[in-house]
Each structure stands twice: as structure tokens, then as C-alpha cells.
């Protein structure tokens, strides 16, 4: 009888630890949501906007912007315009504006490297690389600058669809396959867990 009670206590202790682990995992998942690819591009555009603002160095005279990028990058160009306006740059639409700015994005690319598992039982992770390149020209100030920004971090494999925006193809990339080893070990773990549960069940019943 004592052995039976110890077995029950052990199962309850295991169940409690499993509950805490799953609860903590859910908590981390909720508060560990990474920035979307588009949000990171916006941050890089803000950095370009800071360069342009410092190059103009005069908020009193208006500037006209000529965007020369591919149409798919229009949302990034709009974000740049918004950044400059918020920082006091006067944007004009007329062709005879005192100053002009030519702006072009030559590359906005997302790339995912090979997936890998974070430890034996950890999440499947993917290294994410986001690159933004281009050029801006301010003719009346004889300023021509190339810009290049790179961002690298690690995200969970299951979050790849969430961090992309289907409306903007440049925020998407090919997803790498899951690690080969994980596809083999997960069924083994599942079968092992099921076998353990069955053994415990009949052990308890036999007592």
C-alpha cells in the first residue's frame, strides 16, 4: 500500500512539474513575439531618414522628393516621408522647390538560414537576415550617399509565417526545411512517452 501511495505521489509531482513547464513555455511564447520583417525594414528606413535629415540640415526651406525605387517598395518610401515630416522637414510637391532629394532602394531582402533545434527538446529556430540597400542624392548640396543596413536575429520556426506580410512580397522568403534529426526523434519520444504512461497505468492497477 505504501508503495502504491508513493507511486501516486510521484505521478502527481511529475504532472505538477509538467504543468509548470507548459505554463512557463506559454508565457514566454506570448511575451517573446519578435518584430515582423516589415517593422525591421521600417527601423532601417528610420536610420536612412536620420541620415537624410542631417544632410539637409535646414528645415526652413522645402524639399521635393523623387522616389526612383521599384513600386513594391512604396510603403517604405511613404514611411520615409512620414519620418522626415515628423522631424520637421518641409516636403513640397512643386517642381520648383528650393531643394530636391532623389531616393532609391536597390535591395530589400529577407533571408532565412538553415533551421536548427535549441537543444535536444528545444524549439526549432531559424536565423533571420534582413538587408536594406540604396542611395540618396541631394543635388543642390552635392551630396550623394549609399546606405546599407543589415539585421540578424533568431526566431522560432513556427513564427515564420507570422513575421511576414503577404501583401508585401519583399518581406517574405523561402522557408528552410525542419532539421532532419528532429523528424526522427519526435516520433520516438512520442512512442516512449505513450509506453511509459501505459506501464504506469498497469503498475498502479496491479497494486
Amino acid at each position: 500500500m505504501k508503495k502504491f501511495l508513493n507511486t501516486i505521489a510521484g505521478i502527481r509531482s511529475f504532472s505538477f512539474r509538467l504543468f509548470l513547464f507548459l505554463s512557463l513555455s506559454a508565457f514566454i511564447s506570448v511575451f517573446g513575439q519578435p518584430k515582423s520583417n516589415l517593422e525591421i525594414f521600417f527601423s532601417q528606413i528610420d536610420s536612412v531618414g536620420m541620415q537624410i535629415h542631417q544632410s539637409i540640415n535646414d528645415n526652413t526651406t522645402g524639399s521635393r522628393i523623387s522616389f526612383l525605387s521599384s513600386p513594391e517598395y512604396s510603403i517604405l518610401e511613404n514611411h520615409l516621408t512620414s519620418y522626415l515630416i515628423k522631424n520637421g522637414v518641409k516636403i513640397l510637391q512643386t517642381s520648383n522647390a528650393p531643394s530636391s532629394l532623389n531616393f532609391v532602394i536597390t535591395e530589400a531582402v529577407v533571408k532565412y538560414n538553415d533551421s536548427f533545434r535549441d537543444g535536444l527538446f528545444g524549439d526549432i529556430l531559424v536565423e533571420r537576415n534582413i538587408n536594406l540597400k540604396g542611395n540618396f542624392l541631394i543635388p543642390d548640396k552635392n551630396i550623394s550617399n549609399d546606405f546599407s543596413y543589415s539585421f540578424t536575429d533568431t526566431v522560432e520556426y513556427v513564427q515564420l509565417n507570422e513575421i511576414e506580410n503577404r501583401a508585401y512580397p519583399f518581406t517574405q522568403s523561402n522557408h528552410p526545411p525542419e532539421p532532419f534529426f528532429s523528424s526522427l526523434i519526435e516520433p520516438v519520444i512520442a512512442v516512449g512517452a505513450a509506453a511509459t504512461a501505459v506501464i504506469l497505468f498497469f503498475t498502479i492497477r496491479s497494486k
Side-chain angles (χ1 to χ4, degrees), residues 3 6 32 78-79 90 93 97 99 105 162 183 194 199-200:
K3 187 175 181 180
N6 288 338
N78 289 340
H79 188 83
K90 187 177 180 181
Q93 300 297 326
S99 180
I105 295 173
E162 299 174 14
S183 64
I199 292 172
L200 286 175

Side-chain angles (χ1 to χ4, degrees), residues 52-202:
I52 294 174
H53 185 220
Q54 293 172 347
S55 297
I56 293 176
N57 198 28
D58 185 3
N59 291 343
T60 59
T61 60
S63 297
R64 182 177 184 273
I65 304 179
S66 297
F67 290 116
L68 308 173
S69 311
S70 171
E72 66 176 321
Y73 301 139
S74 60
I75 187 172
L76 300 181
E77 295 171 340
N78 289 340
H79 188 83
L80 174 65
T81 302
S82 177
Y83 176 90
L84 294 175
I85 291 175
K86 288 178 181 178
N87 284 273
V89 178
K90 187 177 180 181
I91 304 299
L92 302 177
Q93 300 297 326
T94 59
S95 58
N96 60 346
S99 180
S100 63
L101 166 68
N102 296 332
F103 179 84
V104 59
I105 295 173
T106 57
E107 181 180 281
V109 176
V110 175
K111 181 182 178 182
Y112 305 121
N113 292 331
D114 292 339
S115 60
F116 60 95
R117 186 175 287 280
D118 184 19
L120 184 60
F121 303 107
D123 296 323
I124 298 177
L125 305 176
V126 177
E127 185 180 77
R128 169 176 62 171
N129 297 303
I130 297 181
N131 299 306
L132 178 71
K133 296 180 181 180
N135 173 275
F136 67 86
L137 172 68
I138 307 176
D140 57 289
K141 293 183 179 292
N142 292 321
I143 294 176
S144 177
N145 281 339
D146 294 324
F147 58 83
S148 178
Y149 292 94
S150 297
F151 176 89
T152 300
D153 70 348
T154 302
V155 298
E156 292 184 21
Y157 185 86
V158 296
Q159 295 176 321
L160 292 184
N161 287 327
E162 299 174 14
I163 60 178
E164 297 178 336
N165 191 315
R166 294 186 179 277
Y168 304 104
F170 67 89
T171 68
Q172 304 175 52
S173 185
N174 294 327
H175 296 184
E178 294 187 29
F180 177 73
F181 179 71
S182 70
S183 64
L184 293 178
I185 196 172
E186 287 178 352
V188 174
I189 294 173
V191 172
T196 302
V198 171
I199 292 172
L200 286 175
F201 175 76
F202 284 105

Side-chain angles (χ1 to χ4, degrees), residues 14-29:
F14 172 79
S15 300
F16 180 71
R17 289 197 299 268
L18 180 61
F19 172 77
L20 288 179
F21 173 78
L22 293 176
S23 298
L24 181 60
S25 298
F27 178 85
I28 293 174
S29 297

